[in-house]
């Protein structure tokens, strides 16, 4: 078994990507934030693990995420690409500017909530 | 956007003439055929879904502009952040000035520690020299003491042996020699020794075979040495 925490060969002048590697099991996703070669598959050999992300909400209504900021900045500085979910997460973590998708999702959610409220009030009255 | 699990296969140059069987409708749609892995390739689009056109999401113009603006801003600031991190990376990478300086500092520290190590080794070596000399002296003294003790013991043993020899020589004088044998036998026959004896309650001993109490007068009775005490 290749370790999930990394150790893959760092290719010379190959494109690296910071992205999620899916772990967990059926109906219970869990992600490692990893550096991999961009052309490798999602479950391919990992160069380095940078953190974890648990998309399931815990009892306190939190989605837990851990990021090794030192290594992340190192890898971004060395020119690694960042996948969309990772860039959204880094934006929320304050490492990168907040991603537009975050704003878009927020205002769309707000709009649907407002619409639902309106329909409720009209139907009740 | 296509749902997950669907891919587009471009059949450019082969429109209407591809090697594998597909639905006619799929082929005529601008050279783009959607493949769902759920069902075999040769099955055409389901009849119920044949002419359905998915509804396009309607995004207002203002929102589109806002999204465009946000993305432009995001790309600009991301480029700035990336540039900054790149500079940081170059500054701290192995061949940078800071790294070289750090390496030199580490080397100097290592040299200093090695010098300290050498001095400490010398100090310990001097102490060890003294200790070994003292141990050697102690060993010599111990050996000398042990030698003396052994010599004393040997002398005592020799004295003991001499004593035994002299005693034996004394004893040898009493031995019966061959020329004296007749004489000794004569002497033994002439002086028989009777070891029989009897005792009574008062602690008197009656030697020989004449052990009747009445036969021995009161004044001739011999008292036992232990009983008389």
């Amino acid at each position: 078994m290749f370790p999930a925490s990394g150790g893959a060969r760092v290719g010379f002048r190959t494109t690296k990507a910071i992205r999620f590697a899916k772990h967990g099991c059926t109906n219970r996703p869990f992600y490692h934030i990893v550096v991999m070669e961009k052309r490798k598959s999602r479950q391919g050999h990992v160069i380095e693990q940078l953190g974890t992300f648990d998309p399931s909400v815990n009892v306190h209504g939190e989605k837990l995420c851990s990021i090794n900021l030192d290594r992340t900045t190192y890898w971004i500085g060395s020119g690694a690409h960042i996948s969309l979910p990772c860039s959204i997460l880094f934006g929320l973590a304050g490492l990168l500017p907040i991603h537009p998708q975050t704003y878009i999702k927020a205002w769309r959610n707000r709009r649907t909530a407002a619409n639902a409220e309106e329909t409720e009030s009209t139907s009740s009255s | 956007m296509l749902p997950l699990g669907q891919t587009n296969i471009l059949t450019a140059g082969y429109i209407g003439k591809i090697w594998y069987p597909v639905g006619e409708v799929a082929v005529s749609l601008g050279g783009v055929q959607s493949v769902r892995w759920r069902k075999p390739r040769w099955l055409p689009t389901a009849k119920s879904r044949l002419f359905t056109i998915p509804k396009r999401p309607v995004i207002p113009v203002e929102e589109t502009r806002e999204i465009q603006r946000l993305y432009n801003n995001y790309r600009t600031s991301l480029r700035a952040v990336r540039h900054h991190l790149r500079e940081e990376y170059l500054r701290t990478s192995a061949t940078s000035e800071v790294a070289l300086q750090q390496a030199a500092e580490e080397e100097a520290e290592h040299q200093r520690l090695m010098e300290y190590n050498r001095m400490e080794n010398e100090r310990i070596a001097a102490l060890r020299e003294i200790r070994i000399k003292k141990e050697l002296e102690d060993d010599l003294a111990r050996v000398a003491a042990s030698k003396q003790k052994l010599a004393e013991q040997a002398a005592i043993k020799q004295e003991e042996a001499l004593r035994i020899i002299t005693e034996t020589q004394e004893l040898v004088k009493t031995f019966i020699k061959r020329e004296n044998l007749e004489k000794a036998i004569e002497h033994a026959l002439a002086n028989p020794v009777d070891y029989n004896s009897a005792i009574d309650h008062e602690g008197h001993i009656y030697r020989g075979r004449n052990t009747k109490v009445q036969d021995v007068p009161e004044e001739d009775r011999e008292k036992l040495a232990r009983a008389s005490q």
Side-chain angles (χ1 to χ4, degrees):
Chain A
M1 280 281 283
F2 196 85
S5 57
R9 197 173 65 87
V10 183
F12 177 64
R13 289 172 71 92
T14 52
T15 313
K16 316 294 188 306
I18 299 174
R19 64 187 186 194
F20 287 166
K22 194 177 176 187
H23 285 76
C25 50
T26 312
N27 299 325
R28 209 302 178 200
F30 186 86
Y31 298 104
H32 286 185
I33 301 169
V34 298
V35 181
M36 289 171 74
E37 294 205 356
K38 185 148 183 163
R39 282 161 174 274
K40 288 274 171 65
S41 67
R42 189 190 64 181
Q43 299 305 115
H45 289 181
V46 170
I47 291 172
E48 190 175 342
Q49 186 185 352
L50 298 178
T52 56
F53 175 55
D54 188 356
S56 312
V57 177
N58 68 5
V59 288
H60 307 295
E62 300 160 342
K63 293 181 180 180
L64 295 183
C65 173
S66 66
I67 306 168
N68 186 345
L69 290 176
D70 276 358
R71 299 305 294 163
T72 309
T73 51
Y74 167 83
W75 278 109
I76 293 170
S78 64
H81 292 199
I82 309 169
S83 73
L84 176 66
C86 274
S87 48
I88 289 171
L89 206 58
F90 291 162
L92 291 173
L95 180 64
L96 300 181
I98 290 182
H99 198 273
Q101 279 295 334
T102 314
Y103 291 120
I104 292 165
K105 195 176 178 185
W107 80 54
R108 281 182 184 162
N109 283 349
R110 274 203 293 275
R111 191 188 296 155
T112 49
N115 285 347
E117 228 172 68
E118 233 172 64
T119 51
E120 219 172 76
S121 60
T122 50
S123 63
S124 61
S125 65
Chain B
M1 259 187 108
L2 289 164
L4 208 73
Q6 262 186 353
T7 45
N8 290 329
I9 291 176
L10 289 172
T11 55
Y14 282 95
I15 297 167
K17 193 92 174 100
I18 43 178
W19 63 272
Y20 54 85
V22 288
E24 287 295 314
V25 180
V27 173
S28 61
L29 281 172
V32 177
Q33 184 221 354
S34 74
V35 174
R36 293 192 68 186
W37 308 107
R38 180 176 59 79
K39 58 187 183 183
R41 271 193 156 175
W42 51 84
L43 285 182
T45 314
K47 277 180 184 171
S48 60
R49 303 286 300 165
L50 196 55
F51 300 108
T52 48
I53 299 166
K55 206 178 157 191
R56 302 290 299 169
V58 181
I59 301 170
V61 181
E62 311 90 68
E63 199 174 324
T64 316
R65 284 207 190 117
E66 177 64 12
I67 288 167
Q68 194 73 48
R69 189 186 68 79
L70 283 174
Y71 265 103
N72 289 344
N73 285 355
Y74 177 72
R75 277 193 294 268
T76 310
S77 41
L78 183 65
R79 200 180 305 128
V81 171
R82 264 191 184 285
H83 186 256
H84 171 71
L85 292 178
R86 176 80 189 160
E87 291 292 312
E88 198 78 349
Y89 168 73
L90 289 177
R91 200 168 60 74
T92 56
S93 64
T95 53
S96 70
E97 210 171 288
V98 174
L100 288 176
Q101 196 182 341
Q102 205 168 353
E105 272 172 21
E106 272 175 18
E107 180 63 27
E109 176 74 7
H110 177 67
Q111 291 298 338
R112 193 181 66 73
L113 290 175
M114 287 304 282
E115 181 67 19
Y116 174 71
N117 187 36
R118 193 183 59 74
M119 283 168 66
E120 191 67 14
N121 278 349
E122 276 178 7
R123 190 177 68 80
I124 297 289
L127 287 178
R128 196 192 303 123
E129 197 89 342
I130 292 164
R131 180 173 58 82
I132 286 171
K133 201 174 276 179
K134 190 171 172 297
E135 275 180 3
L136 181 65
E137 279 167 11
D138 285 358
D139 272 8
L140 289 175
R142 189 170 50 75
V143 167
S146 136
K147 264 184 180 174
Q148 196 186 345
K149 195 178 172 188
L150 282 173
E152 277 170 14
Q153 279 176 353
I156 289 166
K157 273 188 179 174
Q158 199 169 4
E159 258 176 41
E160 181 72 12
L162 277 174
R163 189 183 61 76
I164 289 167
I165 286 167
T166 46
E167 274 179 12
T168 314
Q169 278 171 348
E170 286 297 314
L171 197 61
V172 162
K173 285 172 188 167
T174 63
F175 285 0
I176 299 166
K177 290 172 185 158
R178 194 169 281 276
E179 51 264 30
N180 295 341
L181 186 60
E182 294 293 326
K183 202 175 167 186
I185 290 167
E186 294 280 324
H187 183 256
L189 287 175
N191 301 298
V193 180
D194 194 355
Y195 291 102
N196 295 303
S197 65
I199 54 174
D200 65 357
H201 284 300
E202 283 84 44
H204 295 114
I205 185 165
Y206 306 98
R207 297 187 185 280
R209 302 199 169 227
N210 186 19
T211 55
K212 274 189 176 170
V213 179
Q214 301 88 341
D215 293 355
V216 181
E218 192 87 24
E219 60 276 5
D220 288 354
R221 289 177 189 169
E222 188 186 346
K223 200 82 169 172
L224 269 175
R226 291 287 296 280
S228 64
Q229 282 172 9

